[in-house]
Amino acid sequence: MQIFDSLNEIKSIEETSIALGNFDGVHLGHQKLIKETIEIARERGLKSAVFTFSNHPRDLLPNLPKVKNILYKHEKEELMEALGVDYLINIPFTKEIMEMPPQEYVKKIIVNKLRAKSVVCGFNHNFGFKAGGNVDMLYELSLELGFNLKVIDAFVINGQVVSSSLIRNLIATGNVDECEMYMGRPYAISGEVVIGNRLGRKLGFPTSNLIIDNSMVTPPNGVYVTFCVYNGKRYPSVTNVGVKPTIGNYGKNVETHIFDFDKILYGKNITVEFLKMLRNEIKFDSVEELSEQIISDCCEAKEFHSTNGFL
């Protein structure tokens, strides 16, 4: 897969079947749209392409909070490549693009620069100045500029329209067990393991710690049944997300205890997959009470893993 981080990097590409959208979660609805784009590319002898933005367009609007990311850039790239995309155009959404008239946006970027002969988008796709372009305008422009248009209907699971905002809400409210249904994979946090306060090791429950990135959507403080993925292998684990109120004043982080695991992972990259929330984070009156609760959390997490055939 060839990746372009700016339009200026694109000097010459083959004609494309291109998917338009933000694709910030690469959820099952996004995957359906991308797979349709790839299928059209194969049928028509085109290159498959995804045109998206590295930042959320809403971030340029004043007085609005920034949209929390579901995926890091490299994670989005890995998922796109796994789907079989030929070109990923993942560029910053800029003031210039935001203010571009819809017709000019399609003609100059989609058709002329990205050489689109087929365009695939969602039913609610908007583009151009003040989001003035919609699928009806895109259809008119397809006739004028000579490309095929396919509009994908809402992707619905159990009566629920799958969207990135839905997934953000599930994560932020601790309903991590529902994410896989809509994403096709568990919600996960990845990063480099850092040295913590080593209290878990002293209590007999060593943890691998990740620092929370405030640009990413994260679950509420609490204890979760998880998998820890290291070197391509998934290890049953239990994870605390929070600020460790019993032992001091700390920033929010992720602490994962991997069952029956004795490797030191400092400086290594891991991924923590969230399966189920067990409880909220609470402050205990003593470290001894905390230790007793950790034992209980581990037993409950192990029971979950065992019941589901993971242990």
Side-chain angles (χ1 to χ4, degrees), residues 14-54:
E14 296 182 50
E15 293 179 337
T16 61
S17 167
I18 193 162
L20 306 181
N22 206 37
F23 304 110
D24 44 351
V26 194
H27 54 61
L28 289 176
H30 291 151
Q31 291 174 39
K32 179 184 177 183
L33 195 153
I34 293 167
K35 288 175 182 176
E36 185 67 33
T37 303
I38 293 170
E39 184 62 30
I40 292 171
R42 288 172 179 161
E43 290 173 355
R44 300 188 56 184
L46 304 169
K47 288 290 187 180
S48 61
V50 171
F51 180 46
T52 186
F53 298 112
S54 55

Side-chain angles (χ1 to χ4, degrees), residues 20 100-107 111 119 121 123 125-147 149 151:
L20 306 181
M100 191 175 289
Q103 296 88 342
E104 182 181 346
Y105 171 85
V106 173
K107 185 174 183 179
V111 175
V119 170
C121 67
F123 68 100
H125 185 67
N126 293 100
F127 56 93
F129 184 57
K130 292 186 176 180
N134 56 25
V135 293
D136 291 332
M137 180 184 290
L138 200 54
Y139 176 70
E140 293 174 2
L141 290 168
S142 74
L143 300 177
E144 176 187 335
L145 300 173
F147 60 86
L149 174 66
V151 178

Side-chain angles (χ1 to χ4, degrees), residues 14 66 77 92 106 116 190 194 197 225 236 245-246 271 274-275 277:
E14 296 182 50
K66 286 201 170 185
E77 291 171 354
V106 173
S190 299
V194 298
N197 59 13
V225 183
T246 303
T271 297
F274 288 74
L275 308 183
M277 186 177 191

Side-chain angles (χ1 to χ4, degrees), residues 234-306:
R234 300 169 87 214
Y235 297 91
S237 56
V238 63
T239 296
N240 183 81
V241 177
V243 295
K244 300 186 278 288
T246 303
I247 58 172
N249 184 20
Y250 292 88
K252 185 173 180 177
N253 78 340
V254 176
E255 294 182 285
T256 297
H257 173 64
I258 307 170
F259 301 127
D260 304 317
F261 186 85
D262 59 4
K263 294 183 175 66
I264 304 298
L265 298 182
Y266 297 141
K268 306 296 185 181
N269 287 309
I270 64 171
T271 297
V272 179
E273 299 178 346
F274 288 74
L275 308 183
K276 179 187 177 183
M277 186 177 191
L278 294 180
R279 63 173 178 86
N280 294 320
E281 184 179 52
I282 56 177
K283 182 176 181 179
F284 294 94
D285 293 331
S286 67
V287 172
E288 289 74 26
E289 284 187 22
L290 171 62
S291 180
E292 290 175 5
Q293 184 61 55
I294 291 173
I295 293 172
S296 176
D297 293 336
C298 286
C299 288
E300 192 173 352
K302 283 184 175 180
E303 183 179 353
F304 179 92
H305 281 299
S306 180

Side-chain angles (χ1 to χ4, degrees), residues 8-273:
N8 291 334
E9 293 178 15
I10 303 174
K11 304 303 181 185
S12 177
I13 59 174
E14 296 182 50
E15 293 179 337
T16 61
S17 167
I18 193 162
L20 306 181
N22 206 37
F23 304 110
D24 44 351
V26 194
H27 54 61
L28 289 176
H30 291 151
Q31 291 174 39
K32 179 184 177 183
L33 195 153
I34 293 167
K35 288 175 182 176
E36 185 67 33
T37 303
I38 293 170
E39 184 62 30
I40 292 171
R42 288 172 179 161
E43 290 173 355
R44 300 188 56 184
L46 304 169
K47 288 290 187 180
S48 61
V50 171
F51 180 46
T52 186
F53 298 112
S54 55
N55 55 318
H56 200 285
R58 205 179 81 180
D59 289 349
L60 266 67
L61 300 177
N63 305 319
L64 287 177
K66 286 201 170 185
V67 177
K68 297 283 189 178
N69 297 319
I70 299 171
L71 296 169
Y72 282 109
K73 179 177 180 288
H74 74 273
E75 293 172 327
K76 182 189 282 191
E77 291 171 354
E78 288 166 4
L79 288 166
M80 296 288 184
E81 185 161 30
L83 287 168
V85 173
D86 293 317
Y87 299 140
L88 173 60
I89 302 99
N90 188 28
I91 67 170
F93 185 77
T94 61
K95 189 171 184 290
E96 180 184 2
I97 291 176
M98 182 176 70
E99 296 178 348
M100 191 175 289
Q103 296 88 342
E104 182 181 346
Y105 171 85
V106 173
K107 185 174 183 179
K108 289 182 70 173
I109 296 180
I110 307 301
V111 175
N112 292 349
K113 191 72 174 179
L114 304 181
R115 303 193 69 196
K117 291 298 179 182
S118 173
V119 170
V120 183
C121 67
F123 68 100
N124 57 352
H125 185 67
N126 293 100
F127 56 93
F129 184 57
K130 292 186 176 180
N134 56 25
V135 293
D136 291 332
M137 180 184 290
L138 200 54
Y139 176 70
E140 293 174 2
L141 290 168
S142 74
L143 300 177
E144 176 187 335
L145 300 173
F147 60 86
N148 179 71
L149 174 66
K150 180 153 191 178
V151 178
I152 303 297
D153 292 333
F155 192 77
V156 179
I157 296 177
N158 293 341
Q160 177 69 61
V161 175
V162 181
S163 68
S164 296
S165 57
L166 166 67
I167 291 165
R168 284 191 187 88
N169 184 64
L170 290 174
I171 296 167
T173 56
N175 294 295
V176 294
D177 52 313
E178 297 183 42
C179 289
E180 187 166 6
M181 181 193 312
Y182 302 112
M183 298 173 69
R185 62 188 186 279
Y187 161 68
I189 293 176
S190 299
E192 181 181 310
V193 176
V194 298
I195 296 176
N197 59 13
R198 301 179 186 269
L199 178 63
R201 185 168 296 278
K202 292 176 184 175
L203 296 176
F205 301 96
T207 59
S208 297
N209 301 328
L210 300 177
I211 295 173
I212 288 286
D213 184 339
N214 290 327
S215 71
M216 308 297 287
V217 61
T218 55
N221 294 355
V223 178
Y224 298 81
V225 183
T226 56
F227 272 117
C228 181
V229 184
Y230 171 64
N231 266 356
K233 186 175 179 180
R234 300 169 87 214
Y235 297 91
S237 56
V238 63
T239 296
N240 183 81
V241 177
V243 295
K244 300 186 278 288
T246 303
I247 58 172
N249 184 20
Y250 292 88
K252 185 173 180 177
N253 78 340
V254 176
E255 294 182 285
T256 297
H257 173 64
I258 307 170
F259 301 127
D260 304 317
F261 186 85
D262 59 4
K263 294 183 175 66
I264 304 298
L265 298 182
Y266 297 141
K268 306 296 185 181
N269 287 309
I270 64 171
T271 297
V272 179
E273 299 178 346

